[in-house]
Amino acid sequence: MINNMNDEKGKILLATLAGIGVGVAAGILLAPNNGPDTRDSLKRTLSKAGDELERTVKNLMDKLESNKVTDDGSSLVMRGSWDDVKGQLKKNYAELTEDDLTYVEGQEDELWGRLQQKLGKTKNEIMKVIRDL
């Protein structure tokens, strides 16, 4: 049953992405405006689509967590870049250093370990702090 739910949610997400792609392609091909106006309109449309996609993914992850398909706090959707998040964490937790917040792709567990040790929080608690920034 859980696999069916995951498959269905994956299909919904894939259909959403496909719909966005088709809409963007159609918008470019059928654009009534000149280049700069079309680019500005496209930027606004893509930004709106990105925001909608982010909300959709967050809602899906929240539902997976609430249905106990994944552990609480197992999903992490950040707003802004890692540098933005890092700056906010340093502001909120003065004890964190640049070394504590160094992120290397593929070594996320080391980052979580450093943050857990320095802040005295669980991984889920830290993920919640980051999500709420």
Side-chain angles (χ1 to χ4, degrees):
M1 180 174 149
I2 291 175
N3 286 337
N4 286 342
M5 184 171 47
N6 287 339
D7 288 343
E8 289 174 17
K9 293 192 187 292
K11 288 177 185 176
I12 291 169
L13 182 58
L14 184 59
T16 301
L17 292 174
I20 290 169
V22 169
V24 168
I28 290 172
L29 294 173
L30 302 173
N33 299 326
N34 63 20
D37 290 340
T38 300
R39 283 190 295 275
D40 289 342
S41 175
L42 184 59
K43 284 179 191 176
R44 284 190 303 274
T45 301
L46 289 175
S47 177
K48 183 179 176 184
D51 292 344
E52 289 175 15
L53 181 60
E54 182 180 346
R55 277 193 302 276
T56 300
V57 169
K58 184 175 182 341
N59 287 338
L60 287 172
M61 292 307 296
D62 288 346
K63 286 179 183 177
L64 289 174
E65 288 176 12
S66 67
N67 290 330
K68 302 298 182 199
V69 174
T70 60
D71 294 333
D72 289 338
S74 64
S75 65
L76 178 59
V77 177
M78 294 186 309
R79 296 194 180 21
S81 70
W82 176 244
D83 288 333
D84 295 336
V85 171
K86 200 164 59 166
Q88 192 63 44
L89 285 170
K90 281 182 177 178
K91 184 178 174 184
N92 294 351
Y93 301 95
E95 65 269 29
L96 292 175
T97 66
E98 189 69 28
D99 288 339
D100 294 329
L101 295 167
T102 299
Y103 170 75
V104 177
E105 190 171 341
Q107 298 178 358
E108 293 84 2
D109 287 339
E110 292 177 18
L111 171 64
W112 295 125
R114 288 191 305 269
L115 293 175
Q116 286 173 303
Q117 184 176 20
K118 198 76 170 225
L119 299 176
K121 296 181 180 288
T122 66
K123 180 180 175 182
N124 290 345
E125 290 170 330
I126 295 168
M127 289 178 86
K128 182 174 179 355
V129 165
I130 292 173
R131 265 197 322 258
D132 293 343
L133 289 177

